[in-house]
Amino acid sequence: MSTDEGVRVWLRRQGAEEIAHPGGNLYAHLCRVSERLALLGCGSDVQAAGLTHAAYGTDGFDVALLDPADRAVLRDLVGADAEELVYLYGACDRGRSWRELAKTGQVFDRFTGQVHTPNTAQLRSLVDLSIVNELDVVEQDPAVATRHGAYFRELFASWAPLAGEQVIRDAQRILHSA
């Protein structure tokens, strides 16, 4: 069994198929995010993080599949780099981090209250994952695009210097009609 297959089995065992999410269920969303990251040229660690990005819950989705205290479980499944990205994504206090992220490079941790300053590669991975996640939600739920399209266009434009070129082009394409 490949790592990807093993992770998908683990997600189903954690109940991801039974958790409602725009576009059906959390499992389907996680798969779409990972697949889109692959199509946009992101590396295997970012794809693995995309497949598990909601493991610890997120600031925008408070259902967790795994307690952040049990990080070793996910690390064993996806590897240290992917797990670190999943933690950073899940821990990110969006209200305190997102608007200034391109200027400060700082991520406020909603679990611990600490501030993380990811390196350039980690920051790009975090931004790419964040954008692709929101793009999937926008595509699955047009009401999100109506309510938040302008915010995402502005935010993602500010993140453009940090993000992968293909990810930004995809965001522009999708949000242009939102």
Side-chain angles (χ1 to χ4, degrees), residues 135-156:
L135 294 178
D136 183 69
V137 172
V138 163
E139 285 185 320
Q140 299 303 317
D141 185 353
V144 172
T146 301
R147 286 192 313 271
H148 304 292
Y151 167 74
F152 286 137
R153 280 190 294 277
E154 179 184 326
L155 180 66
F156 298 165

Side-chain angles (χ1 to χ4, degrees), residues 56-88:
Y56 306 126
T58 73
D59 194 6
F61 189 75
D62 66 0
V63 177
L65 303 175
L66 183 65
D67 189 302
D70 296 326
R71 291 179 64 183
V73 171
L74 189 60
R75 194 175 304 120
D76 290 345
L77 277 170
V78 298
D81 290 341
E83 187 282 329
E84 184 66 31
L85 178 55
V86 171
Y87 179 83
L88 192 61

Side-chain angles (χ1 to χ4, degrees), residues 1 12-13 30 33 42 76 86 103-104 112 121 147 151 153 164 170 174 178:
M1 181 180 321
R12 288 191 298 271
R13 284 186 187 145
L30 295 169
V33 168
C42 295
D76 290 345
V86 171
K103 292 177 189 167
T104 67
T112 67
R147 286 192 313 271
Y151 167 74
R153 280 190 294 277
D170 201 37
I174 291 166

Side-chain angles (χ1 to χ4, degrees), residues 21-37:
H21 196 278
N25 61 57
L26 179 60
Y27 179 79
H29 166 71
L30 295 169
C31 292
R32 286 191 307 267
V33 168
S34 181
E35 291 159 9
R36 180 179 239 138
L37 288 164

